Amino acid sequence: MFVFLIHGGWLFTNISAGDHLTEEHVTKGESTLSITVVGASGDLAKKKIFPALFALFYEGCLPQDFSVFGYARTKLTHEELRDMISSTLTCRIDQRENCGDKMDQFLKRCFYHSGQYNSEEDFAELNTKLKEKEAGKLANRLYYLSIPPNIFVDVVRCASLRASSANGWTRVIVEKPFGRDSESSGELTRCLKQYLTEEQIFRIDHYLGKELVENLSVLRFSNLVFEPLWSRNYIRNVQLIFSEDFGTEGRGGYFDQYGIIRDIMQNHLLQILALFAMETPVSLDAEDIRSEKVKVLRSMKPLLLENVVVGQYKGHNKGGKTYPGYTDDPTVPNHSLTPTFAAAAMFINNARWDGVPFLMKAGKALHTRGAEIRVQFRHVPGNLYKKNFATNLDNATNELVIRVQPDEGIYLRINNKVPGLGMRLDRSDLNLLYRSRYPREIPDAYERLLLDAIEGERRLFIRSDELDAAWDLFTPALKELEERKIIPELYPYGSRGPVGAHYLASKYNVRWGDLGEA
């Protein structure tokens, strides 16, 4: 079995006639899995992909007969690759036994081949090495493209023509960015489909593999208490908030080409929004779920510039330490207008969500690190205890918070009487903190997505029409921002972001739910 992983978010699978992985094949050990990480010398491969593959091996999730190949232009030997990735491998906190032995076993399955990304000859040589490991068995191949998007097509062409499996499936995982706008994304898809079918493409958004995001549909569809409330009748607004407490730190050259809207909002936050707002799918089949997500995106109004606030962090002194501004990064142009912060208000034009503002907020160099979904419910009609909340009715609002990272958890804010002779009300949390309830370490998102790709499970990967619909929502506002050269509002490194975000929220009678927290 061969798996190709591509950094850019896609997984492609080629299934030829007669490509049937039967139970007989599996039980007889007649199939193999080959995973080729293209761009193996890069940071993503070293920090995420190889550790995720080892974790799957450690948990017994990989087939008995598998091999992992690194492919890059850097000249390395097999041993040099193993030394490079060995320092990034860790065992589960709750399963330390035989950790060293497991690492040795895994590293013996790791090999390296150096080659150019646009060379069919080099991929033909890789194919020869893969065949040696397959030893005539049913071969499935998976490629992960951990490379810049400008060479996706070259790699896919070479791998498809020279290093596809002859008797099994071939799949390719591609990670974002999927273009910069509707036009470039569409062109990338057209070029890739010259060599791959849609069923072979696995566009990966690692946020969809996070535990709390995957739990979102479980929370809603398997708990009677939530589904009846999941509409405009009871929900006042929905907030999707992403924050990092560090800046670009040397990645400014890459980030400056895309900005925070393309990097976070158009993919991570919009994907979560679609999962949150979709109608009940017919089944848990991948196509049923993805079709419901597409319906949500097609029901949404394109983002208007008047509903967008952009910011850029500036240098700041705090506690005797100096924090650099975005344009202080030597890899960033001095007069860059690229936003490192953005807030946006979006709306869904359907019967369930008409009039409900979906507010997004994402930024770098903020006061804290986190990602969460906040659902603020409507006020209680004719609330008998209104006077106990004085003039601030927001204090009486029930709120459901799903914290994606860090300290994964779900909590519901309710109103409660403080014990005593008087009538004093307090907001209390019904709290499910994952580390307390589930002490077992939560698998990394890449582990889940890699395993799904190997098993051919597509529900957490992005379909091409879903990608098109997502870009259609953001492209007009992005083009207007760039054509009009909108100057981002400056905010100090380590602050809560630009003031404009609060004005945007107040425009829709909303208060950001994270304001009262550290």
Side-chain angles (χ1 to χ4, degrees), residues 52-340:
L53 290 172
F54 171 66
L56 292 177
F57 171 72
Y58 189 89
E59 296 287 344
C61 296
L62 294 181
Q64 182 176 357
D65 194 351
F66 79 93
S67 60
V68 178
F69 269 80
Y71 184 100
R73 290 174 296 197
T74 306
K75 298 290 185 180
L76 295 174
T77 64
H78 299 324
E79 285 303 321
E80 287 172 333
L81 172 73
R82 292 163 184 166
D83 290 341
M84 181 183 73
I85 64 177
S86 62
S87 61
T88 67
L89 305 183
T90 59
C91 296
R92 292 281 185 232
I93 291 174
D94 55 345
Q95 294 185 22
R96 292 294 185 187
E97 65 273 13
N98 301 322
C99 185
D101 292 342
K102 285 284 189 179
M103 284 187 184
D104 291 340
Q105 294 171 28
F106 176 77
L107 290 172
K108 288 178 182 177
R109 307 282 193 100
C110 295
F111 307 94
Y112 186 79
H113 181 73
S114 175
Q116 298 298 312
Y117 295 129
N118 60 353
S119 170
E120 292 187 26
E121 292 74 16
D122 289 343
F123 274 86
E125 293 176 5
L126 172 66
N127 183 57
T128 300
K129 292 185 177 181
L130 293 175
K131 284 185 175 180
E132 290 176 1
K133 302 300 178 185
E134 294 163 1
K137 299 177 183 179
L138 178 67
N140 296 314
R141 300 180 177 181
L142 174 66
Y143 288 91
Y144 197 114
L145 305 190
S146 182
I147 52 178
N150 61 313
I151 51 178
F152 285 170
V153 177
D154 284 338
V155 170
V156 167
R157 172 178 57 81
C158 296
S160 176
L161 296 177
R162 299 297 182 186
S164 288
S165 173
N167 61 357
W169 53 252
T170 302
R171 298 172 181 162
V172 181
I173 299 177
V174 185
E175 194 158 345
K176 74 176 182 72
F178 313 115
R180 297 188 78 255
D181 50 29
S182 294
E183 184 178 355
S184 59
S185 175
E187 179 62 22
L188 176 60
T189 296
R190 284 190 293 273
C191 291
L192 291 172
K193 286 187 176 180
Q194 293 179 26
Y195 308 102
L196 300 163
T197 66
E198 175 65 27
E199 289 70 28
Q200 292 180 283
I201 302 173
F202 289 68
R203 301 171 184 86
I204 187 173
D205 183 333
H206 74 273
Y207 254 68
L208 294 181
K210 289 187 176 292
E211 187 68 39
L212 269 293
V213 174
E214 185 157 17
N215 193 40
L216 187 58
S217 57
V218 177
L219 183 72
R220 175 182 168 189
F221 297 126
S222 69
N223 292 288
L224 184 62
V225 68
F226 288 122
E227 177 57 21
L229 306 179
W230 222 259
S231 74
R232 63 188 299 273
N233 297 325
Y234 295 97
I235 292 178
R236 187 159 58 108
N237 67 80
V238 180
Q239 302 174 21
L240 301 109
I241 300 173
F242 173 95
S243 63
E244 291 179 336
D245 57 2
F246 54 88
T248 52
E249 298 180 352
R251 284 185 66 247
Y254 163 81
F255 182 84
D256 200 68
Q257 301 176 49
Y258 296 96
I260 198 72
I261 297 177
R262 291 184 177 93
D263 195 39
I264 302 297
M265 281 190 170
Q266 185 272 339
N267 40 74
H268 297 337
L269 297 188
L270 191 61
Q271 284 294 317
I272 294 174
L273 186 156
L275 276 173
F276 177 93
M278 70 180 184
E279 296 296 321
T280 308
V282 174
S283 73
L284 292 177
D285 179 77
E287 296 311 308
D288 289 335
I289 292 174
R290 297 198 292 185
S291 293
E292 292 301 332
K293 289 168 62 184
V294 171
K295 289 178 185 177
V296 171
L297 298 178
R298 289 179 174 170
S299 299
M300 295 179 68
K301 302 175 183 177
L303 181 61
L304 300 175
L305 194 59
E306 64 190 47
N307 284 333
V308 180
V309 171
V310 292
Q312 186 183 99
Y313 67 88
K314 62 181 180 179
H316 182 56
N317 293 319
K318 185 178 181 181
K321 185 175 180 181
T322 299
Y323 296 89
Y326 175 66
T327 54
D328 295 330
D329 187 324
T331 62
V332 173
N334 290 333
H335 303 290
S336 172
L337 298 179
T338 300
T340 61

